[in-house]
Amino acid sequence: MTQTQYMEDVAQIMAIRARGSRPMALVRTYGCQQNVADGEKIKGQLEQMGFGFTEEEEEADFILFNTCAVREHAEDRVFGNVGALKNVKRRHPSLLVALCGCMMEQEHVAERIKKSFPYVNLVFGTHVIHKLPELLFRTLTDSRRVFERGDDSEDKQIVEGLPIHRDGTFRAWCTVMYGCDNFCSYCVVPYVRGRERSRSSQAILEEFTGLVRAGYKDITLLGQNVNSYGKHLQEDVNFAKLLRMLDEVEGNYRIRFMTSHPKDATRELIDTIAAGKHISHHLHLPFQSGNNRVLKEMNRGYTREKYLDLIRYAKEQIPDLSLTSDIIVGFPGETYEEFLDTVDLIRQVEFTSLYTFIYSPRVGTRAAKMEDPVPAEEKSKWFQELCAEQEKIAARRCASMIGTVQRVLVEEQNAKTGLLAGRTDGNIVVDFPGAPALIGTFADVNITEARNWILKGVLA
Ligand code: SF4
């Protein structure tokens, strides 16, 4: 049977179970943008099977948690929330409960779900999202619970043409590649999302053009490592070329992309951003540590000097470039002196903002087996020290924008203050007074004030 036939069968079964009302699904996504994009594909398929969507557990006929395995904290939250569903299921015995996403690609997690959460009906991994209709059909027609994690062939394939239920009306995601080949020693992604595989540039161009025509204004190209886009394709393309191709699409929009890896980011990429018509002057380039020994232990494939050299070039070519990064504090064996190299690097680069995390061990990774003598309280102090330094840097950077005019994509109205809020090209939040009709459009805003990392202004 094809997935389309399964869809029709599931739609019929669910219509009977819902007794004439529309069956409702609650889909909750945890973690990164790639997961959010997967969640939209899951919702797209559910919609075609007749489901509507709700945020209320009590209203739902089907609850699905799309999980994240990158940090321990996110995993704990998922287990806590799955545990809380036990009572919901007791009140609504016909409720279907499903778990998917990166956590479910890990053997030990699937085993724990099997043993400790008997009311979970369906568990599936990241490689078989396109089989959701079939998996739901099996769950509905078989008395056994369904566990499906995909095999080697599914690890390598890309399924095009899945329906997408986009949650945003002016911001959208467009996946350009899946998986990762880098095996950073702390990271679980290559194990749970498989090896790198890129979509054809034609497929991306079609989706991207459709988004621009549909009125999307802020389109983020997604991949675990976008700079290695195209490596395994037959066509002669790389990420910079792809960006140039998309930038030619006529329309009023901006392009963002994430995540870039410093090992693969090139001067060609910087030149492409500098020359682009629609490409945001924003580069998210995670450096993780400012110390070369730690970088080597992390298996990152670049040095502090190489990173700083690229940043120097980028700042020369794009003076208003906004830089952001990810940092891990307290990698196993990191000393305070080595941590200070990270503090020094953020001072040199002057990032607009940072996503800083205390190291959290992931089962199955090389780093999880390393000696980790520094106590958690000590790492927490380092973390606070880094955040305090970054706050000063961000405040300085934001203050330097007072008096400039920024093009802002207006996103929402603050219910308390009544002010509109939007984001600059460099992804900095700006609050300003204006009519709600501006939401979803670009507005030129004169920056009058900076409060830490938030700007305030008036319409120019
Ligand atoms: S580049 Fe490194 S940190 Fe990023 S997804 Fe790949 S293995 Fe993980």
Side-chain angles (χ1 to χ4, degrees):
M1 249 163 80
T2 64
Q3 295 303 324
T4 313
Q5 287 164 327
Y6 281 121
M7 267 185 185
E8 286 165 10
D9 286 357
V10 170
Q12 276 182 17
I13 298 170
M14 286 310 301
I16 294 166
R17 284 168 67 112
R19 297 207 190 106
S21 326
R22 190 174 191 197
M24 299 302 275
L26 185 161
V27 177
R28 194 171 291 157
T29 292
Y30 301 80
C32 69
Q33 282 79 3
Q34 187 61 59
N35 240 21
V36 175
D38 284 352
E40 292 187 342
K41 286 184 188 129
I42 287 166
K43 282 171 116 175
Q45 293 178 81
L46 288 172
E47 202 163 39
Q48 292 211 343
M49 288 184 266
F51 283 90
F53 298 106
T54 177
E55 290 303 315
E56 301 298 326
E57 289 170 355
E58 298 293 332
E59 272 178 27
D61 301 285
F62 177 56
I63 295 183
L64 182 143
F65 292 164
N66 181 20
T67 65
C68 166
V70 170
R71 264 171 277 282
E72 202 174 7
H73 175 67
E75 280 196 3
D76 291 344
R77 242 177 55 190
V78 168
F79 282 124
N81 291 348
V82 177
L85 287 182
K86 189 176 180 182
N87 287 333
V88 186
K89 183 99 175 187
R90 198 175 287 142
R91 287 193 293 278
H92 305 279
S94 63
L95 170 70
L96 290 175
V97 176
L99 303 174
C100 69
C102 292
M103 270 172 80
M104 301 308 134
E105 285 291 342
Q106 297 173 290
E107 188 82 47
H108 69 281
V109 173
E111 280 307 310
R112 182 167 166 190
I113 300 289
K114 260 186 203 158
K115 282 201 193 104
S116 312
F117 302 95
Y119 48 88
V120 172
N121 306 93
L122 165 64
V123 169
F124 60 101
T126 55
H127 302 302
V128 288
I129 282 174
H130 60 284
K131 283 190 183 172
L132 178 60
E134 177 187 341
L135 298 174
L136 253 180
F137 178 80
R138 280 167 46 198
T139 309
L140 286 162
T141 55
D142 196 327
S143 54
R144 282 167 302 179
R145 305 156 80 198
V146 176
F147 285 75
E148 181 102 359
R149 283 178 40 225
D151 55 30
D152 282 357
S153 61
E154 275 151 341
D155 189 37
K156 294 182 184 76
Q157 69 177 341
I158 288 180
V159 178
E160 291 290 355
L162 285 181
I164 301 177
H165 172 97
R166 297 197 188 267
D167 288 325
T169 48
F170 47 87
R171 293 175 68 190
W173 317 107
C174 177
T175 303
V176 301
M177 62 174 299
Y178 299 87
C180 181
D181 288 352
N182 285 315
F183 290 94
C184 299
S185 62
Y186 53 84
C187 182
V188 80
V189 166
Y191 306 98
V192 295
R193 288 206 170 259
R195 298 297 87 74
E196 286 174 1
R197 54 233 185 261
S198 300
R199 294 176 71 192
S200 74
S201 60
Q202 196 50 39
I204 297 167
L205 181 62
E206 275 168 27
E207 181 179 344
F208 187 87
T209 308
L211 288 169
V212 173
R213 294 212 176 116
Y216 285 92
K217 299 282 189 296
D218 189 306
I219 303 168
T220 303
L221 309 179
L222 287 180
Q224 305 297 342
N225 180 15
V226 289
N227 297 119
S228 61
Y229 170 78
K231 267 187 190 163
H232 305 290
L233 288 175
Q234 300 295 331
E235 52 178 317
D236 175 25
V237 67
N238 61 20
F239 187 60
K241 275 189 192 160
L242 177 74
L243 270 179
R244 291 197 288 273
M245 187 189 292
L246 301 179
D247 192 35
E248 287 304 314
V249 174
E250 291 291 328
N252 185 19
Y253 63 90
R254 62 166 64 129
I255 309 177
R256 300 187 188 278
F257 55 88
M258 68 189 314
T259 296
S260 282
H261 193 305
K263 171 172 71 69
D264 301 310
T266 58
R267 290 190 172 206
E268 184 191 4
L269 172 73
I270 305 295
D271 295 342
T272 302
I273 300 172
K277 295 186 286 258
H278 303 96
I279 307 170
S280 286
H281 284 186
H282 173 207
L283 182 60
H284 181 70
L285 198 61
F287 73 90
Q288 307 296 6
S289 166
N291 178 272
N292 282 339
R293 190 198 68 81
V294 177
L295 284 173
K296 198 154 182 248
E297 287 297 307
M298 288 177 164
N299 193 31
R300 291 290 289 173
Y302 54 87
T303 59
R304 164 193 180 90
E305 290 73 26
K306 184 182 174 230
Y307 185 88
L308 285 171
D309 184 57
L310 190 69
I311 294 289
R312 210 169 296 119
Y313 182 74
K315 284 181 172 179
E316 276 163 22
Q317 303 307 311
I318 315 165
D320 65 343
L321 183 66
S322 169
L323 287 153
T324 56
S325 191
D326 298 341
I327 295 177
I328 295 173
V329 171
F331 185 77
E334 184 178 30
T335 64
Y336 183 64
E337 284 65 37
E338 289 169 336
F339 159 75
L340 288 180
D341 286 341
T342 297
V343 180
D344 178 69
L345 194 142
I346 72 164
R347 284 195 191 115
Q348 285 195 43
V349 176
E350 299 221 294
F351 292 98
T352 311
S353 62
L354 289 177
Y355 301 87
T356 308
F357 303 96
I358 295 178
Y359 169 77
S360 121
R362 307 284 62 217
V363 175
T365 60
R366 196 154 62 76
K369 299 187 192 98
M370 293 177 184
E371 291 272 308
D372 192 4
V374 178
E377 309 80 65
E378 185 66 14
K379 291 185 183 185
S380 182
K381 279 191 211 150
W382 300 359
F383 175 83
Q384 303 296 344
E385 188 177 333
L386 192 74
C387 293
E389 189 61 36
Q390 176 56 28
E391 275 190 26
K392 285 188 245 161
I393 295 168
R396 267 202 310 276
R397 278 200 55 84
C398 285
S400 73
M401 294 172 78
I402 294 173
T404 63
V405 174
Q406 299 288 325
R407 188 167 175 254
V408 169
L409 176 60
V410 189
E411 293 183 357
E412 58 188 3
Q413 184 176 32
N414 184 309
K416 271 194 197 150
T417 63
L419 294 174
L420 298 180
R423 276 170 200 274
T424 66
D425 201 43
N427 214 26
I428 303 173
V429 175
V430 183
D431 289 344
F432 62 99
L438 288 174
I439 293 171
T441 67
F442 287 107
D444 286 334
V445 178
N446 204 336
I447 305 301
T448 54
E449 204 183 323
R451 290 227 183 115
N452 294 330
W453 51 89
I454 295 182
L455 301 172
K456 291 191 182 291
V458 289
L459 282 168

